Amino acid sequence: QKEVEQNSGPLSVPEGAIASLNCTYSDRGSQSFFWYRQYSGKSPELIMFIYSNGDKEDGRFTAQLNKASQYVSLLIRDSQPSDSATYLCAVNRGNQGGKLIFGQGTELSVKP
Amino acid sequence: DAEITQSPRHKITETGRQVTLACHQTWNHNNMFWYRQDLGHGLRLIHYSYGVQDTNKGEVSDGYSVSRSNTEDLPLTLESAASSQTSVYFCASSESVGTDTQYFGPGTRLTVL
């Protein structure tokens, strides 16, 4: 079992719809959770991070964390073609210093 | 503005040659990381450092080395390049306290022929 798992996709949604990206992790001691966006040929860029159970909203993005289920998700409202990218979930296990464990990423395609 | 840079951005080398990839950050971050990214494997940690003179092996460290002589730089050396080391390499940095958010450099595409 991989430590951080994501569906590779591609996930295809129409413009204006809500895109839902999911990530599960195996270590119950994990403390912080990150979503990065990576455009083709570019480096990962941080979208948001979340530490506490529940929802965290930033503009069109909402991160949701459920530690009991070991599940973190990213919702993108009013999806735009410019949101088409690979989304990486990353987890800090809490006893590993600043190291992050990355999932393989989910490719999102937003169709006009 | 503070930033993280990598050089070269593209490199073609031959099997058996020594190659050094540079990473330089101006955020004064203590933590620095090197990853490689390959199709089907995502980002895999090669080496990392939590400060000057500190270096640690990641999950795919064989054939690579790093040294940290100052806060700003963490060069990655491939001692004897192999075709299996053809990849895109990313350097990242983060603060030693706070959110653990890592900020990535633009990447180096390395081809070993």
Side-chain angles (χ1 to χ4, degrees), chain A residues 2 31-32 34 36 38 41-46 49 51 86 88 92 94 96-105, chain B residues 9 31 33 35 37 40-43 45 48 50 57-58 90 94-95 98-107 109:
Chain A
K2 295 179 180 176
Q31 295 186 354
S32 50
F34 302 81
Y36 286 82
Q38 186 175 24
K42 302 296 186 181
S43 59
E45 57 179 334
L46 180 73
F49 58 85
Y51 295 146
T86 296
L88 303 171
N92 181 304
Q96 299 282 307
K99 289 198 304 181
L100 299 182
I101 309 298
F102 284 85
Q104 291 194 26
Chain B
R9 296 294 310 280
N31 301 342
F33 308 84
Y35 296 91
Q37 188 173 41
H41 291 282
L43 283 165
L45 184 63
Y48 60 100
Y50 289 147
K57 294 181 179 180
F90 288 105
S94 68
E95 295 179 299
T99 68
D100 298 320
T101 299
Q102 292 186 13
Y103 299 94
F104 285 80
R109 183 174 296 275

